[in-house]
Amino acid sequence: MKADVLLGLQWGDEGKGKVVDVLTPRYDVVARFQGGPNAGHTLEFDGKKYVLRSIPSGVFQHGQINIIGNGVVLDPVLFRQEAEELQKSGIDLRNVLKISKKAHLIMPTHRLLDAAGERAKGDSKIGTTGKGIGPTYTDKISRNGLRIGDIFNDFDIKYAKARKLHLDQLERMGEPATDISELEQNWLDSINYLRSFDIIDSEYYVNNCLDEGKSVLCEGAQGTMLDVDFGSYPFVTSSNTITAGACSGLGLAPNRIGEVFGIFKAYCTRVGSGPFPTELFDETGKTIRAIGHEFGAVTGRERRCGWIDLVALRYAIMIDGVTKLIMMKSDVLDTFDTIKACVAYKINGVETDRMPFNLEDQAVEPVYVELPGWKTDMTALRSESEFPAEFSAYIDFLEQRLGVPVAIVSIGPDREQTIIRNL
Ligand code: GDP
Ligand code: IMO
Ligand code: MG
């Protein structure tokens, strides 16, 4: 068996959580491979809404095993909150969740370093989620990190060492000394809570599952344009959000990857700082935000909104090796007379369909194609045959420009509002 991957092609919040939940019944295992509680994956069904941050979005279906892979960074305090919340909804995570020994721990001081790093950057701050993501991955790469497997062996010593490094660093950054004892106690209590979960060598587990003919869906967090190598650097997250991240974040060899589902919104959003060529600062942008409820699931921040960017999407499809596309939130455009799609960038008067080295050092003017809107409420539709002709034409246009078929179309936040075309 091969492992399929589902990941975001834009700047995150494409609707990954919803679709992973919808696809979970087709799989035996769902595995998160990178990111941490900077993610906010929303699911809606039976009139209820859930937001998952570190826990994979396969926990609401029945019997599938969910894995937090080695590429993830885990904050035990937020993990506990999330797990206890799910427990209240009747989900006994201990039966369905396994966590990699090699996933790295986010410490309270990582969050302080995240905030201090942002303050130090001033006007050029990234607008991080403040969850300590960058400092935790920095420690991983600089070989100072604490891994979940460490909690079973001389943990106090390892923790004290890492803590000292961080406090010294905060002092060097000119941060005033703060009393972290309360934060720390809560964190250490949550470490004890974490011990009661099934903490495993997840690379063996996932590969064994595939050997035994079980199916695996890898769930990405963030999106390709936030990838640390290929995103809009430095305004990115600190992990590899791309398909290759599923290999390194779970211990899967590249030849074990099957389908790659690339997910995007029918328009585009971004939260935090950084370039966004098709961003709309006018009424249209505000209308998209209002109809699409474009406010962050983690921080509540307003999401910046704009038209779909096919230059960025084509780039993401190339980097990720996308085999099937999934289009989300088409219903948000239901009332529009005209839909625009950016097909190229004009830079210094020259048109290009390539992603430049960086987007912020020069004026990037999007070149748009206009398409007629479908002016139909699509939220109650349940099959492709009911699509208005203009909407089918929009899909055809995207498939032709992107070179990959659109397998699923989402027309509302609920599980039921999902139309499967050709999986
Ligand atoms: P994720 O981080 O990729 O899982 O996406 P988020 O959960 O952060 O953001 C997606 C938001 O859009 C959530 O509030 C979803 O409930 C909502 N959503 C998902 N699909 C659709 C859709 O097709 N239509 C509408 N109107 N909302 C959707
Ligand atoms: P999901 O999985 C949207 C953005 C932050 C910031 C940048 C770096 O829900 O799609 P970080 O805290 O990771 O150091 O922040 O990345 N960001 C996201 N934007 N969706 C996310 O996750 C994001 N995770 C991080 O806003 O610009
Ligand atoms: Mg999100």
Side-chain angles (χ1 to χ4, degrees):
M1 286 295 278
K2 302 236 182 201
D4 295 344
V5 180
L6 183 145
L7 42 67
L9 298 180
Q10 297 165 321
W11 278 278
D13 302 327
E14 296 90 349
K16 299 173 289 291
K18 169 183 164 163
V19 178
V20 169
D21 172 63
V22 168
L23 293 181
T24 293
R26 297 167 183 251
Y27 291 89
D28 299 306
V29 176
V30 177
R32 269 281 300 269
F33 57 87
Q34 46 67 236
N38 49 348
H41 294 181
T42 315
L43 290 78
E44 282 190 44
F45 55 90
D46 299 340
K48 289 200 205 87
K49 180 168 163 171
Y50 303 88
V51 180
L52 296 170
R53 293 162 152 199
S54 305
I55 294 172
S57 303
V59 289
F60 293 99
Q61 300 284 1
H62 305 289
Q64 287 80 6
I65 294 295
N66 286 259
I67 294 176
I68 296 179
N70 57 279
V72 172
V73 290
L74 194 79
D75 182 330
V77 175
L78 296 178
F79 169 75
R80 181 185 187 164
Q81 275 174 16
E82 199 176 326
E84 286 180 344
E85 213 45 55
L86 288 173
Q87 197 83 36
K88 278 190 221 149
S89 314
I91 292 169
D92 192 3
L93 275 186
R94 286 191 181 76
N95 294 331
V96 295
L97 184 70
K98 297 182 189 296
I99 306 174
S100 168
K101 283 182 192 161
K102 294 194 169 85
H104 279 243
L105 285 166
I106 303 177
M107 295 167 54
T109 38
H110 282 132
R111 294 180 67 151
L112 299 180
L113 285 166
D114 193 354
E118 286 283 85
R119 269 193 290 277
K121 280 183 185 278
D123 286 347
S124 53
K125 72 172 195 240
I126 293 161
T128 72
T129 59
K131 299 289 182 274
I133 304 297
T136 307
Y137 279 116
T138 301
D139 271 353
K140 172 176 175 173
I141 301 301
S142 59
R143 295 153 295 177
N144 292 316
L146 287 182
R147 296 181 294 173
I148 292 181
D150 289 325
I151 67 178
F152 300 108
N153 209 348
D154 290 337
F155 186 59
D156 294 352
I157 299 169
K158 291 175 191 158
Y159 174 68
K161 204 168 148 194
R163 174 188 193 272
K164 179 165 186 328
L165 277 179
H166 295 167
L167 293 178
D168 289 351
Q169 194 179 341
L170 286 163
E171 198 183 324
R172 282 198 301 279
M173 291 173 87
E175 289 291 312
T178 45
D179 180 8
I180 59 164
S181 50
E182 207 174 304
L183 283 178
E184 224 169 10
Q185 197 47 55
N186 191 13
W187 190 82
L188 290 168
D189 289 348
S190 304
I191 288 281
N192 278 334
Y193 176 79
L194 193 58
R195 285 179 209 274
S196 65
F197 280 81
D198 196 9
I199 295 172
I200 63 162
D201 295 309
S202 60
E203 61 276 33
Y204 277 112
Y205 186 88
V206 175
N207 279 290
N208 285 342
C209 284
L210 293 173
D211 290 343
E212 288 166 7
K214 293 192 177 132
S215 51
V216 176
L217 178 63
C218 311
E219 172 180 2
Q222 291 79 55
T224 302
M225 298 314 292
L226 288 171
D227 178 80
V228 66
D229 281 278
F230 298 104
S232 47
Y233 192 87
F235 301 98
V236 293
T237 191
S238 299
S239 65
N240 278 121
T241 60
I242 55 177
T243 303
C247 296
S248 58
L250 288 167
L252 286 171
N255 61 3
R256 298 217 91 157
I257 302 297
E259 298 283 359
V260 178
F261 298 108
I263 181 164
F264 65 97
K265 287 178 188 172
Y267 49 96
C268 195
T269 65
R270 159 158 219 180
V271 56
S273 336
F276 179 2
T278 60
E279 182 168 11
L280 291 165
F281 300 95
D282 58 4
E283 281 308 311
T284 309
K286 285 188 191 143
T287 308
I288 294 177
R289 183 176 310 119
I291 302 178
H293 303 294
E294 295 295 358
F295 298 89
V298 173
T299 56
R301 287 180 292 178
E302 263 188 10
R303 292 181 185 144
R304 300 154 62 192
C305 297
W307 295 117
I308 198 166
D309 180 342
L310 303 185
V311 178
L313 275 180
R314 271 195 303 268
Y315 184 68
I317 288 167
M318 172 181 81
I319 299 289
D320 291 317
V322 173
T323 58
K324 288 191 168 139
L325 289 167
I326 301 177
M327 180 160 72
M328 309 299 290
K329 302 193 90 161
S330 330
D331 54 294
V332 172
L333 303 180
D334 280 356
T335 55
F336 285 63
D337 293 323
T338 309
I339 316 283
K340 289 191 190 180
C342 166
V343 293
Y345 297 153
K346 199 179 251 183
I347 302 172
N348 297 325
V350 180
E351 257 187 47
T352 177
D353 59 0
R354 284 193 165 215
M355 188 52 84
F357 168 67
N358 74 27
L359 287 162
E360 64 270 21
D361 289 351
Q362 61 232 323
V364 177
E365 193 192 322
V367 178
Y368 288 115
V369 165
E370 291 195 13
L371 293 108
W374 41 92
K375 309 274 283 176
T376 309
D377 176 0
M378 293 207 295
T379 54
L381 304 190
R382 291 296 174 268
S383 84
E384 193 185 347
S385 60
E386 299 168 87
F387 284 168
E390 294 83 356
F391 183 61
S392 297
Y394 187 55
I395 297 177
D396 289 347
F397 168 81
L398 294 176
E399 287 186 328
Q400 194 213 329
R401 296 275 178 161
L402 298 173
V404 183
V406 175
I408 300 176
V409 173
S410 174
I411 46 161
D414 195 272
R415 243 183 211 171
E416 305 293 321
Q417 293 171 302
T418 315
I419 294 175
I420 298 194
R421 301 178 76 214
N422 48 12
L423 261 192

PDB file of all heavy atoms in Angstrom, residues 306-319:
ATOM      1  N   GLY A 306      -8.237  37.709  -0.972  1.00  0.00           N
ATOM      2  CA  GLY A 306      -7.972  38.141  -2.345  1.00  0.00           C
ATOM      3  C   GLY A 306      -8.438  37.100  -3.342  1.00  0.00           C
ATOM      4  O   GLY A 306      -8.986  36.056  -2.965  1.00  0.00           O
ATOM      5  N   TRP A 307      -8.200  37.370  -4.622  1.00  0.00           N
ATOM      6  CA  TRP A 307      -8.585  36.431  -5.677  1.00  0.00           C
ATOM      7  C   TRP A 307      -7.631  35.245  -5.730  1.00  0.00           C
ATOM      8  O   TRP A 307      -6.512  35.316  -5.246  1.00  0.00           O
ATOM      9  CB  TRP A 307      -8.592  37.130  -7.040  1.00  0.00           C
ATOM     10  CG  TRP A 307      -9.622  38.200  -7.188  1.00  0.00           C
ATOM     11  CD1 TRP A 307      -9.383  39.523  -7.407  1.00  0.00           C
ATOM     12  CD2 TRP A 307     -11.044  38.043  -7.153  1.00  0.00           C
ATOM     13  NE1 TRP A 307     -10.572  40.206  -7.499  1.00  0.00           N
ATOM     14  CE2 TRP A 307     -11.616  39.321  -7.348  1.00  0.00           C
ATOM     15  CE3 TRP A 307     -11.912  36.956  -6.967  1.00  0.00           C
ATOM     16  CZ2 TRP A 307     -12.984  39.541  -7.369  1.00  0.00           C
ATOM     17  CZ3 TRP A 307     -13.283  37.176  -6.980  1.00  0.00           C
ATOM     18  CH2 TRP A 307     -13.805  38.450  -7.181  1.00  0.00           C
ATOM     19  N   ILE A 308      -8.065  34.209  -6.367  1.00  0.00           N
ATOM     20  CA  ILE A 308      -7.246  33.001  -6.532  1.00  0.00           C
ATOM     21  C   ILE A 308      -5.986  33.356  -7.334  1.00  0.00           C
ATOM     22  O   ILE A 308      -6.045  34.171  -8.260  1.00  0.00           O
ATOM     23  CB  ILE A 308      -8.080  31.887  -7.206  1.00  0.00           C
ATOM     24  CG1 ILE A 308      -7.423  30.526  -6.999  1.00  0.00           C
ATOM     25  CG2 ILE A 308      -8.299  32.156  -8.693  1.00  0.00           C
ATOM     26  CD1 ILE A 308      -8.357  29.368  -7.337  1.00  0.00           C
ATOM     27  N   ASP A 309      -4.871  32.743  -6.965  1.00  0.00           N
ATOM     28  CA  ASP A 309      -3.583  33.051  -7.589  1.00  0.00           C
ATOM     29  C   ASP A 309      -3.062  31.771  -8.259  1.00  0.00           C
ATOM     30  O   ASP A 309      -2.537  30.876  -7.596  1.00  0.00           O
ATOM     31  CB  ASP A 309      -2.617  33.541  -6.494  1.00  0.00           C
ATOM     32  CG  ASP A 309      -1.247  33.895  -7.048  1.00  0.00           C
ATOM     33  OD1 ASP A 309      -0.919  33.461  -8.173  1.00  0.00           O
ATOM     34  OD2 ASP A 309      -0.499  34.601  -6.335  1.00  0.00           O
ATOM     35  N   LEU A 310      -3.197  31.695  -9.579  1.00  0.00           N
ATOM     36  CA  LEU A 310      -2.821  30.460 -10.287  1.00  0.00           C
ATOM     37  C   LEU A 310      -1.313  30.337 -10.478  1.00  0.00           C
ATOM     38  O   LEU A 310      -0.809  29.233 -10.676  1.00  0.00           O
ATOM     39  CB  LEU A 310      -3.551  30.366 -11.631  1.00  0.00           C
ATOM     40  CG  LEU A 310      -5.086  30.415 -11.554  1.00  0.00           C
ATOM     41  CD1 LEU A 310      -5.685  30.179 -12.938  1.00  0.00           C
ATOM     42  CD2 LEU A 310      -5.639  29.401 -10.576  1.00  0.00           C
ATOM     43  N   VAL A 311      -0.583  31.457 -10.362  1.00  0.00           N
ATOM     44  CA  VAL A 311       0.882  31.375 -10.420  1.00  0.00           C
ATOM     45  C   VAL A 311       1.363  30.603  -9.183  1.00  0.00           C
ATOM     46  O   VAL A 311       2.141  29.640  -9.284  1.00  0.00           O
ATOM     47  CB  VAL A 311       1.527  32.780 -10.467  1.00  0.00           C
ATOM     48  CG1 VAL A 311       3.047  32.671 -10.484  1.00  0.00           C
ATOM     49  CG2 VAL A 311       1.018  33.562 -11.667  1.00  0.00           C
ATOM     50  N   ALA A 312       0.864  31.032  -8.029  1.00  0.00           N
ATOM     51  CA  ALA A 312       1.252  30.369  -6.777  1.00  0.00           C
ATOM     52  C   ALA A 312       0.744  28.920  -6.751  1.00  0.00           C
ATOM     53  O   ALA A 312       1.460  28.015  -6.313  1.00  0.00           O
ATOM     54  CB  ALA A 312       0.707  31.158  -5.588  1.00  0.00           C
ATOM     55  N   LEU A 313      -0.469  28.693  -7.253  1.00  0.00           N
ATOM     56  CA  LEU A 313      -1.019  27.332  -7.229  1.00  0.00           C
ATOM     57  C   LEU A 313      -0.223  26.387  -8.126  1.00  0.00           C
ATOM     58  O   LEU A 313       0.052  25.254  -7.745  1.00  0.00           O
ATOM     59  CB  LEU A 313      -2.487  27.332  -7.662  1.00  0.00           C
ATOM     60  CG  LEU A 313      -3.517  27.623  -6.567  1.00  0.00           C
ATOM     61  CD1 LEU A 313      -4.925  27.598  -7.145  1.00  0.00           C
ATOM     62  CD2 LEU A 313      -3.414  26.614  -5.424  1.00  0.00           C
ATOM     63  N   ARG A 314       0.140  26.871  -9.314  1.00  0.00           N
ATOM     64  CA  ARG A 314       0.925  26.004 -10.219  1.00  0.00           C
ATOM     65  C   ARG A 314       2.273  25.644  -9.593  1.00  0.00           C
ATOM     66  O   ARG A 314       2.755  24.520  -9.699  1.00  0.00           O
ATOM     67  CB  ARG A 314       1.147  26.699 -11.574  1.00  0.00           C
ATOM     68  CG  ARG A 314       0.048  26.429 -12.600  1.00  0.00           C
ATOM     69  CD  ARG A 314       0.511  26.818 -13.998  1.00  0.00           C
ATOM     70  NE  ARG A 314       0.927  28.210 -14.042  1.00  0.00           N
ATOM     71  CZ  ARG A 314       0.126  29.237 -14.361  1.00  0.00           C
ATOM     72  NH1 ARG A 314      -1.131  29.015 -14.710  1.00  0.00           N
ATOM     73  NH2 ARG A 314       0.590  30.458 -14.359  1.00  0.00           N
ATOM     74  N   TYR A 315       2.857  26.639  -8.916  1.00  0.00           N
ATOM     75  CA  TYR A 315       4.142  26.419  -8.241  1.00  0.00           C
ATOM     76  C   TYR A 315       3.977  25.343  -7.155  1.00  0.00           C
ATOM     77  O   TYR A 315       4.763  24.392  -7.069  1.00  0.00           O
ATOM     78  CB  TYR A 315       4.585  27.753  -7.636  1.00  0.00           C
ATOM     79  CG  TYR A 315       5.931  27.753  -6.967  1.00  0.00           C
ATOM     80  CD1 TYR A 315       7.099  27.604  -7.717  1.00  0.00           C
ATOM     81  CD2 TYR A 315       6.049  27.922  -5.591  1.00  0.00           C
ATOM     82  CE1 TYR A 315       8.345  27.623  -7.101  1.00  0.00           C
ATOM     83  CE2 TYR A 315       7.291  27.943  -4.970  1.00  0.00           C
ATOM     84  CZ  TYR A 315       8.430  27.800  -5.729  1.00  0.00           C
ATOM     85  OH  TYR A 315       9.663  27.822  -5.116  1.00  0.00           O
ATOM     86  N   ALA A 316       2.925  25.486  -6.364  1.00  0.00           N
ATOM     87  CA  ALA A 316       2.675  24.530  -5.270  1.00  0.00           C
ATOM     88  C   ALA A 316       2.417  23.125  -5.824  1.00  0.00           C
ATOM     89  O   ALA A 316       2.928  22.130  -5.301  1.00  0.00           O
ATOM     90  CB  ALA A 316       1.485  25.005  -4.431  1.00  0.00           C
ATOM     91  N   ILE A 317       1.674  23.045  -6.913  1.00  0.00           N
ATOM     92  CA  ILE A 317       1.358  21.742  -7.521  1.00  0.00           C
ATOM     93  C   ILE A 317       2.648  21.061  -7.990  1.00  0.00           C
ATOM     94  O   ILE A 317       2.834  19.852  -7.823  1.00  0.00           O
ATOM     95  CB  ILE A 317       0.347  21.942  -8.680  1.00  0.00           C
ATOM     96  CG1 ILE A 317      -1.029  22.286  -8.108  1.00  0.00           C
ATOM     97  CG2 ILE A 317       0.286  20.709  -9.588  1.00  0.00           C
ATOM     98  CD1 ILE A 317      -2.026  22.800  -9.134  1.00  0.00           C
ATOM     99  N   MET A 318       3.558  21.869  -8.524  1.00  0.00           N
ATOM    100  CA  MET A 318       4.850  21.316  -8.985  1.00  0.00           C
ATOM    101  C   MET A 318       5.663  20.794  -7.793  1.00  0.00           C
ATOM    102  O   MET A 318       6.158  19.657  -7.818  1.00  0.00           O
ATOM    103  CB  MET A 318       5.636  22.420  -9.713  1.00  0.00           C
ATOM    104  CG  MET A 318       7.066  22.035 -10.057  1.00  0.00           C
ATOM    105  SD  MET A 318       7.952  23.381 -10.873  1.00  0.00           S
ATOM    106  CE  MET A 318       8.443  24.385  -9.484  1.00  0.00           C
ATOM    107  N   ILE A 319       5.793  21.608  -6.759  1.00  0.00           N
ATOM    108  CA  ILE A 319       6.627  21.218  -5.604  1.00  0.00           C
ATOM    109  C   ILE A 319       6.044  19.989  -4.903  1.00  0.00           C
ATOM    110  O   ILE A 319       6.770  19.131  -4.408  1.00  0.00           O
ATOM    111  CB  ILE A 319       6.714  22.402  -4.594  1.00  0.00           C
ATOM    112  CG1 ILE A 319       7.355  23.632  -5.231  1.00  0.00           C
ATOM    113  CG2 ILE A 319       7.428  21.988  -3.308  1.00  0.00           C
ATOM    114  CD1 ILE A 319       8.831  23.527  -5.493  1.00  0.00           C
TER     115      ILE A 319
END
